[in-house]
Amino acid sequence: MDTTTTSPVSVNTFSELGLTDLLLRALAAEGYTVPTPIQTRAVPPILAGRDLIGCAQTGTGKTAAFALPLIEQMLATPRKAAPRRCRTLVLAPTRELAGQILEGFNAYGRFANLSAAVIYGGVSQRPQATALQRGVDVLVATPGRLLDLVGQRLVDLRTVEFLVLDEADRMLDMGFIQPIRKIIGMLPTDRQTLLFSATLPAEVRSLANDFLRDPLEIKTAPQATPADTVTQSVYFVSKAEKKAKLVELLRGEASGRVIVFTRTKHGADKLHRDLDKAGIAAAAIHGNKSQNQRERALAAFKSPRPPVLIATDIAARGIDVDEVSHVVNYELPHEPETYVHRIGRTGRAGLTGAAVSFCDHEERPRLAAIERLLRRAIPQRNEPPAWNASMATESDRGGGRGEGRPSRGRGQGRGQRTAQGNGQGRGRPQGGRGAGLRREGRSGSEAPKPEGAATATATAARKLPRKHRRAL
Ligand code: AMP
């Protein structure tokens, strides 16, 4: 398997990628002038017919990265889709993503006169079956509903020429592996297959091994710079203390729209129960939740009185909410890039936000890896317990910890720890909302200054139209 490097290729225009006029006009109409890195790397090999594994998150422009060259190829070999058949099949994990992909094909193919349809579960199948009757060029589908319709002979997959598996890791996380294998088993073996996934765990690799032919693997450079609208801080806590600390935080400063990240689905469910017991309204989303449950949780999270949203990384990708005031890393992620991605849920659209991480003894190496990626220390909120002091070395602190920091006086961190012990800390810290989001030195010692900017407020103006606000 070839792997391209993550360094940028110097392509500045879409025409250099080999796209024809019909597509260039559509891109101009969309306001795209420069291809994103995934587009630069993926379009030429897809145009050349290669199978491809694209390691990229949603928000990187990956829909256009596969839609553009596939439209181009379909235009190059015009063929009328037969009844109930399609030329391009895109499988996606959720109806939201499937809908977005359809919108992408419609926008990029607006001058190409191609037909497209989307099918997903949870709604009546009748309009979907009707849309497929005459056949379409592009069919975007979630796996379950697609299999349903195939079983009823309302869709016939025997002439698919191009297959896209989008957000493959999320589809597997949601338990779609069997339906996906079954669907691919119905397709002609002579086809081009593209697999996109934000992460490449073993199950995704094994799917790729089984169904892709000599794929080219491309990765977009991992995001290493969080927006400076996000104020970061870390609490050193023992595993046992985390729950109480979280409750304190949620009853205090973190009372806006808060996402709490856990590493596992089980951990998310457990925390949900714990917050319930503490009388804090919460909702959890992860791969074991049904589409309806996830949608309900997201709708509640978008409402004016949002519950705390507990999420696993993969499930959180479906969250498209700008006004998130706090991200709490209840557990630090294994991959440092995931930290950047998580905290990018706040501080969006010109708003400010706070990212608070809990770090226990075992997570110290993960924190060090995150700080290495960020090339800076994350300000701490409390004194490291003895285990930290004894473990921390300059090298596992990622080098320049504390570099250039003013020397700081002691006290604040300790005060917070004491307050936690006696329950006094549950009210807002002095200074009101956001006052707890102070930048403290690694020594935990600067006299804290209120940082009103650390809390997302609705005062900041949205500067860009929605579609241009997503991180590229
Ligand atoms: P995606 O990762 O496909 O969900 O795309 C993320 C967002 O970026 C979408 O709103 C696209 O419309 C937008 N987008 C994709 N490619 C470009 C580009 N080359 N220039 C500007 N915006 C883009």
Side-chain angles (χ1 to χ4, degrees), residues 174-427:
M174 290 170 70
F176 283 136
I177 185 65
Q178 289 316 326
I180 290 172
R181 285 184 176 272
K182 214 161 158 183
I183 289 166
I184 302 180
M186 298 171 182
L187 307 180
T189 48
D190 185 19
R191 58 162 198 273
Q192 186 178 3
T193 307
L194 315 173
L195 180 152
F196 287 85
S197 196
T199 56
L200 296 174
E203 305 91 300
V204 173
R205 289 230 171 255
S206 128
L207 192 68
N209 283 343
D210 292 350
F211 295 117
L212 274 67
R213 275 182 312 197
D214 184 29
L216 178 70
E217 183 173 323
I218 57 175
K219 283 196 177 117
T220 48
Q223 202 186 344
T225 12
D228 50 17
T229 45
V230 182
T231 302
Q232 303 173 59
S233 60
V234 61
Y235 268 121
F236 289 107
V237 283
S238 65
K239 231 186 212 121
E241 278 176 312
K242 281 192 176 180
K243 192 172 68 192
K245 196 81 207 159
L246 179 66
V247 169
E248 179 191 321
L249 195 70
L250 295 173
R251 287 191 177 150
E253 65 178 74
S255 54
R257 194 167 270 118
V258 185
I259 305 179
V260 178
F261 280 96
T262 59
R263 270 200 313 272
T264 63
K265 303 172 204 175
H266 174 73
D269 282 337
K270 176 156 185 337
L271 189 58
H272 190 187
R273 288 194 297 274
D274 290 339
L275 291 186
D276 257 1
K277 276 189 212 141
I280 293 177
I285 55 165
H286 55 65
N288 287 356
K289 299 276 182 189
S290 69
Q291 173 92 20
N292 279 343
Q293 286 171 318
R294 280 199 311 274
E295 277 177 13
R296 268 205 309 276
L298 280 179
F301 188 61
K302 287 179 188 170
S303 75
R305 289 175 62 84
V308 173
L309 191 67
I310 306 167
T312 55
D313 290 301
I314 292 183
R317 274 190 239 144
I319 304 173
D320 185 17
V321 182
D322 286 333
E323 297 88 352
V324 173
S325 64
H326 291 73
V327 164
V328 180
N329 291 306
Y330 192 70
E331 292 157 323
L332 289 177
H334 285 294
E335 300 293 332
E337 291 81 15
T338 304
Y339 172 87
V340 180
H341 196 63
R342 283 182 180 183
I343 74 170
R345 298 275 159 199
T346 182
R348 287 170 133 193
L351 299 170
T352 55
V356 184
S357 299
F358 291 178
C359 176
D360 67 29
H361 188 184
E362 283 170 22
E363 292 173 309
R364 286 298 306 279
R366 280 183 218 150
L367 178 65
I370 290 165
E371 292 184 329
R372 265 198 298 277
L373 177 72
L374 300 177
R375 296 177 194 278
R376 52 172 289 220
I378 301 172
Q380 74 179 56
R381 288 171 163 238
N382 57 347
E383 286 287 298
W387 47 260
N388 269 317
S390 63
M391 281 190 58
T393 64
E394 204 44 39
S395 65
D396 83 355
R397 310 295 306 137
R401 174 173 299 283
E403 259 178 320
R405 280 164 201 282
S407 72
R408 300 172 167 205
R410 289 191 173 267
Q412 174 66 14
R414 290 191 174 178
Q416 282 174 340
R417 284 173 67 74
T418 314
Q420 179 202 352
N422 63 15
Q424 295 302 305
R426 300 202 166 166

Side-chain angles (χ1 to χ4, degrees), residues 14 32 34-36 39 58-64 108 467 470 472:
F14 283 102
Y32 300 1
V34 180
T36 66
Q39 291 163 2
T58 289
T60 53
K62 73 174 159 56
T63 313
Y108 309 136
K467 71 177 183 180
R470 307 213 4 219
L472 286 177

Side-chain angles (χ1 to χ4, degrees), residues 436-455:
L437 305 172
R438 293 160 176 144
R439 287 182 184 277
E440 293 177 52
R442 199 32 85 175
S443 60
S445 51
E446 182 182 56
K449 57 177 187 286
E451 204 162 347
T455 307

